[in-house]
Amino acid sequence: MSVKIRERLAAAGQRFHANDNIAEFLHPGDIERLLDEVQEKMQGVLDSLVIDTQSDHNTADTARRVAKMYLQEVFGGRYVAPPRITEFPNAEHLNELMIVGPITVRSACSHHFCPVIGRIWMGILPNKGTNVIGLSKYARLVDWIMNRPQIQEEAVVQLADLIEKKTMPDGLAVVMEASHYCMSWRGVKEMDSKMINSVMRGAFLENTALRREFLSLIPR
């Protein structure tokens, strides 16, 4: 199944990096067939790790569980279309700073497939042409972007691009703070370190006072 999907992507000249969404190239039933394929290959990984899944009741169904976890949960943002978001016109012509967050982030590092767990805050400076979306919809968009293997620096840019396209504000700010298990679970095994990065667009990039106000209002 994966070979057929790759052929579709190649024919369309479409990139399929770890943090890309490929939903439009999937046909009905493809995910179920991919589940079977990933399960088979994951079973091969377990066999190569010399884990006896035949007699070990704890790992008897691990290959299937891992396949479902990757395709339907932690990497699900690659395989499903973006969530439907109802957008409303800015009828009251709101133009004051709005802050959304913290929104919990659950992602995975594309280097080791280890968890990345953290929080995101967004600052939006609307104008009369800005689209207004519900608070819970921001969380849905965050999940859709973050449920892919990726690096944090690229993830916040992808999210900023999506929110900017959906809302069309005068300014947008995104700050992400996260713990990386590829650093705490392996490697140097540093438990307390976090990574913080930001993307500033429009008024937040140009107006130092606005940027300072946003950052000062983020509870940390």
Side-chain angles (χ1 to χ4, degrees):
M1 189 69 255
S2 63
V3 172
K4 292 181 180 179
I5 297 169
R6 284 169 177 265
E7 289 172 351
R8 294 173 204 157
L9 290 158
Q14 178 67 37
R15 196 183 81 164
F16 51 100
H17 289 184
N19 61 347
D20 289 330
N21 179 273
I22 59 170
E24 69 176 287
F25 297 93
L26 298 179
H27 297 168
D30 283 356
I31 289 294
E32 289 72 19
R33 296 183 187 97
L34 276 177
L35 276 169
D36 293 337
E37 181 179 333
V38 175
Q39 177 183 350
E40 181 181 352
K41 292 182 176 181
M42 189 63 213
Q43 183 60 51
V45 171
L46 293 170
D47 293 342
S48 295
L49 289 171
V50 198
I51 295 174
D52 181 2
T53 58
Q54 298 299 311
S55 60
D56 179 3
H57 64 279
N58 290 315
T59 58
D61 296 316
T62 292
R64 186 68 177 183
R65 285 193 293 264
V66 171
K68 291 174 71 174
M69 177 187 72
Y70 281 149
L71 287 166
Q72 298 178 346
E73 298 177 297
V74 296
F75 299 163
R78 299 192 74 234
Y79 306 106
V80 297
R84 286 190 155 193
I85 302 297
T86 304
E87 300 159 17
F88 303 96
N90 185 4
E92 298 300 322
H93 294 178
L94 303 173
N95 62 358
E96 297 292 337
L97 171 61
M98 177 178 74
I99 297 177
V100 177
I103 296 172
T104 301
V105 171
R106 302 168 190 86
S107 192
C109 136
S110 50
H111 297 154
H112 295 93
F113 282 7
C114 287
V116 175
I117 307 295
R119 300 179 295 175
I120 274 182
W121 295 264
M122 287 178 276
I124 298 99
L125 186 67
N127 58 59
K128 65 180 181 180
T130 295
N131 292 326
V132 178
I133 63 177
L135 185 60
S136 66
K137 305 306 186 291
Y138 286 100
R140 292 183 187 277
L141 293 172
V142 167
D143 278 347
W144 185 66
I145 290 291
M146 295 296 165
N147 285 347
R148 309 171 192 183
Q150 57 197 322
I151 63 171
Q152 181 172 333
E153 301 93 314
E154 293 177 356
V156 292
V157 172
Q158 276 194 326
L159 180 62
D161 289 345
L162 179 63
I163 298 297
E164 195 169 33
K165 180 180 178 181
K166 290 286 184 184
T167 61
M168 298 182 294
D170 277 347
L172 174 68
V174 180
V175 171
M176 178 173 170
E177 174 190 75
S179 298
H180 292 242
Y181 282 57
C182 56
M183 186 174 178
S184 59
W185 194 21
R186 55 161 301 281
V188 296
K189 297 184 179 178
E190 172 57 56
M191 301 300 294
D192 297 323
S193 292
K194 297 181 186 295
M195 181 176 182
I196 303 172
N197 64 324
S198 66
V199 173
M200 302 288 168
R201 302 273 175 86
F204 287 95
L205 191 60
E206 301 158 2
N207 187 328
T208 305
L210 177 65
R211 185 165 64 249
R212 188 181 300 117
E213 179 185 1
F214 166 67
L215 293 173
S216 70
L217 290 172
I218 292 177
R220 296 273 310 285

